[in-house]
């Protein structure tokens, strides 16, 4: 009974009329022939057709393929195969596609396909769609539109493998296509059929950015297949996530785990691309970073200056210091001084500053830096020059000419009034440089930033309601211990560019004094005028929050090292909490 009902339903479906609205194209029909669904269902070829197929597949030049246009056994399917083979030879042998298009025999092949395109099997049809652009046929032309229309009709019946090839081809064309959204929609619906690592990796790398829904499902599939990925596939997945700014933590953790299980030494491209991806996504995995730095060090000499600079910046962005690798980078810089451009050298210097790293050959390294920078400052843009001088200040290698260069009115006026994030970051670094000039350069006589430019209310109101649990707990504990609001100042923005979480003045007996009664040279505006009593000290409470590197984060960061130096030089006793 059930089988009889199924047969009746099938007969009714086959007899349904064609839909009234269909995608634009040269011809309309209800469905492709049943045998067009794959090679397993294709009709039997006679001897002449089989012989012609073998001739097409074995052709080694364009003339052999063009000659088949006059064969009596030629049909639309074999003509499609001939065009696809012709496109492949054109690409491999760098043939003149224009002369091929002008050949009447090629036009005859196109006409044969166009006349009976519904008889072309699926695989040759997809190959034909991918071949036409190689031969220079315009996508808006009649033949291209006819093939695209036919593929659109068959999408529902195409095997998943051919859908993947289609998506990869259309995504790489670089133009809008009516077919591409339909292909992506079919992949979104059939993602559970994906079973090979290569297919998943290819879609993530080449198609995922076009469909967030598909990318989410590909991430789920990649998480399921992560154990089967080889090292290069791990690299490609991580790179796809980084380039699309998709910080999928479960997948990144799975990739990290299975990467650590790979016993063999990782290839150099895998090392550099994984490091770039983890830095781009700010994903800190200590075991992976340790392995990457350990295996990267012996191959450092094989890298180009651009790659070495990028690796240094990646480790700095991740706040990960490998002393042997950093020493190797410093030695690489000394050995390849003439090959390193100023930009690459600046990238390495800024990275060392962020990591607060002083090479063992410090004197030789910084002599080379000063020599290369001499007379080149004018070639650096405003932000890069600010970064370079700030880095020299962090590493205590700044010289008076560097300070004068960035603290001159002609330079810092370029940044004042600019509200872009990059300009705001550079201005904050100028405040740090100005503090270095005031507190750590006794022989420096100016210029300095003007007092009106040292305003100390940076983002104070904006961050007022974003206090972390540590900030709230610190405030409550201090108020409870000191016994009043007037003995502490919270969220203090100093003229040195550093923010203090809490400031307290203690007398010689370690009793708190009213902090607002005393002059405060570290503030741009101060209501107090009294000098500190003899034996009294200013206490600054600094908060450090490094979730991944809580035990050593503040020692790694050059910013923290500079803050401690400046505040101590300004007369503060530091209390640090984390």
């Amino acid at each position: 009974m059930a089988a009889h009902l199924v047969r009746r339903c099938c007969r009714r479906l086959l007899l349904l009329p064609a839909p009234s609205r269909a995608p634009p194209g040269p011809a309309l029909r209800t469905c492709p022939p049943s045998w067009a669904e794959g090679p397993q269902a294709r009709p039997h070829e006679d001897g002449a057709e089989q012989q012609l197929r073998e001739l097409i597949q074995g052709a080694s030049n364009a003339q052999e393929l063009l000659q088949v246009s006059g064969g009596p056994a030629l049909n639309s399917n074999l003509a499609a195969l001939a065009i696809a083979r012709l496109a492949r030879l054109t690409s491999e042998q760098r043939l003149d596609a224009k002369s091929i298009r002008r050949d009447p025999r090629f036009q005859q092949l196109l006409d044969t396909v166009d006349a009976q395109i519904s008889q072309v099997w699926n695989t040759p049809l997809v190959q034909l769609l991918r071949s036409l652009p190689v031969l220079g046929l315009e996508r808006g032309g009649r033949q291209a539109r006819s093939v695209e229309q036919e593929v659109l009709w068959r999408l529902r019946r195409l095997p998943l493998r051919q859908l993947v090839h289609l998506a990869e081809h259309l995504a790489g064309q670089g133009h809008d296509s009516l077919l591409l959204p339909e292909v992506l929609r079919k992949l979104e619906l059939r993602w559970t059929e994906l079973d090979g690592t290569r297919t998943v990796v290819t879609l993530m790398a080449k198609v995922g950015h076009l469909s967030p829904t598909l990318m989410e499902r590909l991430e789920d599939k990649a998480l399921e297949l992560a154990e089967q990925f080889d090292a290069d596939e791990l690299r490609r997945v991580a790179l796809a996530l980084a380039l699309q700014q998709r910080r999928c933590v479960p997948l990144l953790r799975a990739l990290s785990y299975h990467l650590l299980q790979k016993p063999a030494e990782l290839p150099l491209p895998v090392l550099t691309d994984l490091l770039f991806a983890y830095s781009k996504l700010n994903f800190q995995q200590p075991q992976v970073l340790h392995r990457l730095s350990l295996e990267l060090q012996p191959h450092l000499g094989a890298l180009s200056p651009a790659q070495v600079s990028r690796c240094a910046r990646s480790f700095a962005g991740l706040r990960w210091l490998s002393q042997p690798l950093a020493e190797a980078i410093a030695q690489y810089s000394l050995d390849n001084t003439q090959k390193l451009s100023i930009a690459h050298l600046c990238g390495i210097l800024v990275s060392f500053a962020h990591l607060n790293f002083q090479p063992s050959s410090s004197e030789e390294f910084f002599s080379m830096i000063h020599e290369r920078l001499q007379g080149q400052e004018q070639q650096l843009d405003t932000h890069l020059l600010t970064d370079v001088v700030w880095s020299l200040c962090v590493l205590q290698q700044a010289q008076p000419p560097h300070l004068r260069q960035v603290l001159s009115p002609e330079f810092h006026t370029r940044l004042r009034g600019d509200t872009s994030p990059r300009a705001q970051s550079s201005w904050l670094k100028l405040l740090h440089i100005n503090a270095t000039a005031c507190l750590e350069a006794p022989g420096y006589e100016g210029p300095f930033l003007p007092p009106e430019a040292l305003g100390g209310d940076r983002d104070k109101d904006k961050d007022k309601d974003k206090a972390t649990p540590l900030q709230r707990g610190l405030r409550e504990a201090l108020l409870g211990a000191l016994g009043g609001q007037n003995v502490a100042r919270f969220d203090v923005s100093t003229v040195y560019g550093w923010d203090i979480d809490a400031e307290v003045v203690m007398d010689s007996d370690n009793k708190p004094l009213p902090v607002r009664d005393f002059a405060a040279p570290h503030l741009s505006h101060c209501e107090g005028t009294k000098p500190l009593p003899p034996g009294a000290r200013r206490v600054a409470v600094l908060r450090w929050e490094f979730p991944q590197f809580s035990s050593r984060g503040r020692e790694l960061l050059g910013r923290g090292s500079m803050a401690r130096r400046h505040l101590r030089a300004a007369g503060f006793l530091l209390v640090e909490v984390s």
Side-chain angles (χ1 to χ4, degrees), residues 405-457:
Q405 178 82 24
V406 297
L407 294 178
S408 64
E410 296 80 10
F411 184 88
H412 66 70
T413 50
R414 304 178 202 168
L415 295 174
R416 294 192 68 179
D418 190 342
T419 57
S420 66
R422 182 75 188 274
Q424 292 295 305
S425 174
S426 295
W427 182 257
L428 185 60
K429 288 178 179 177
L430 272 186
L431 293 179
H432 299 161
I433 295 170
N434 189 70
T436 299
C438 293
L439 302 172
E440 296 185 327
Y444 180 73
E445 298 179 354
F448 298 95
L449 294 179
E452 63 273 13
L454 305 178
D457 296 324

Side-chain angles (χ1 to χ4, degrees), residues 127-419:
Q127 291 176 350
L128 181 63
L129 181 66
R130 300 173 67 182
S131 301
L132 295 181
V134 178
L135 293 170
L137 270 75
E138 295 182 3
R139 184 175 157 268
R142 180 175 60 84
Q143 293 91 349
R145 285 189 291 109
S146 176
V147 174
E148 190 169 311
Q149 172 69 51
E150 184 66 24
V151 173
L152 188 60
W153 272 107
R154 299 192 196 181
L155 278 184
R156 188 170 60 88
R157 294 176 174 84
L158 288 182
L160 185 66
R161 177 175 56 84
Q162 293 178 352
L163 278 179
V164 172
H165 291 329
L166 265 179
E168 183 181 351
H169 165 70
L170 295 171
Q173 288 301 298
H175 53 63
D176 294 332
S177 169
L178 296 176
L179 185 57
L180 181 57
E182 295 298 325
V183 174
L184 293 177
R185 192 171 296 114
K186 292 295 185 292
L187 287 173
E188 291 170 7
L189 294 173
R190 298 175 59 180
W191 71 278
T192 54
E193 298 178 36
L194 296 170
D195 57 358
T197 58
R198 182 182 178 279
T199 302
V200 173
V201 172
T202 299
L203 287 176
M204 293 184 74
K206 298 188 176 182
V207 184
H209 65 284
L210 299 174
S211 171
T213 301
L214 178 60
M215 190 61 182
E216 289 178 6
R217 291 168 180 173
L218 289 173
E219 288 172 356
D220 293 340
K221 201 67 179 180
L223 188 59
E224 177 185 332
L225 299 173
E227 187 176 2
Q228 303 175 30
F229 289 153
D230 60 26
D232 188 65
E233 289 171 335
L234 290 172
R235 174 192 70 86
R236 292 183 64 194
V237 172
L239 208 54
L241 294 175
L243 294 176
Q244 297 176 45
Q245 286 292 299
R246 296 185 66 91
R247 197 174 187 272
C248 181
V249 174
L251 180 55
L252 288 170
R253 287 175 177 169
L255 296 179
S256 301
Y257 173 79
H258 293 295
L259 178 70
L260 293 172
Q261 306 309 308
K262 304 294 180 187
E265 185 175 346
L266 298 174
L268 188 56
V270 174
L271 295 172
T272 54
D273 285 348
L274 281 175
L275 179 58
F276 166 78
Y278 277 55
S279 174
K280 186 81 172 176
L281 296 171
N282 194 25
F283 185 74
Q284 301 157 326
Q285 217 292 334
Q287 290 83 4
V288 170
L289 295 178
H290 175 72
R291 177 171 183 177
L292 293 181
S293 60
L294 192 66
E295 295 189 11
L296 190 60
Q297 183 184 344
H299 301 289
L300 207 61
L303 297 179
S304 66
Q307 289 174 313
V308 172
S309 179
R310 191 178 76 173
C311 289
R313 293 197 307 270
S314 296
F315 278 115
L318 290 166
R319 301 194 296 273
W320 178 266
L321 174 61
S322 168
Q323 290 276 357
L325 180 62
E327 289 286 1
I329 292 175
Q331 189 59 47
Y332 178 96
S333 303
L334 290 171
D335 295 339
N336 298 273
T337 303
Q338 299 306 318
K339 295 180 181 179
L340 284 165
S341 68
I342 290 295
H344 297 150
L345 199 60
C346 291
I348 293 173
L349 175 64
V350 173
S351 300
F352 284 178
H354 280 294
L355 295 174
N356 196 26
F357 172 72
Q358 294 275 1
S360 58
S361 55
S362 176
E363 184 176 349
E364 184 181 1
F365 177 80
F366 288 110
S367 295
M368 180 268 293
I369 292 287
H370 293 311
E371 182 180 346
R372 288 296 307 275
L373 286 177
Q374 188 173 4
Q376 301 293 323
E377 293 89 344
Q378 299 297 332
Q379 298 181 10
L380 305 181
D381 66 29
T382 302
H383 302 294
L384 182 55
L385 181 57
T386 303
D387 288 344
V388 167
V389 178
W390 179 85
S391 300
L392 292 173
C393 291
V394 169
L395 298 171
Q396 298 179 283
Q397 299 294 329
Q399 297 178 348
H402 302 137
L403 301 176
R404 281 193 290 269
Q405 178 82 24
V406 297
L407 294 178
S408 64
E410 296 80 10
F411 184 88
H412 66 70
T413 50
R414 304 178 202 168
L415 295 174
R416 294 192 68 179
D418 190 342
T419 57

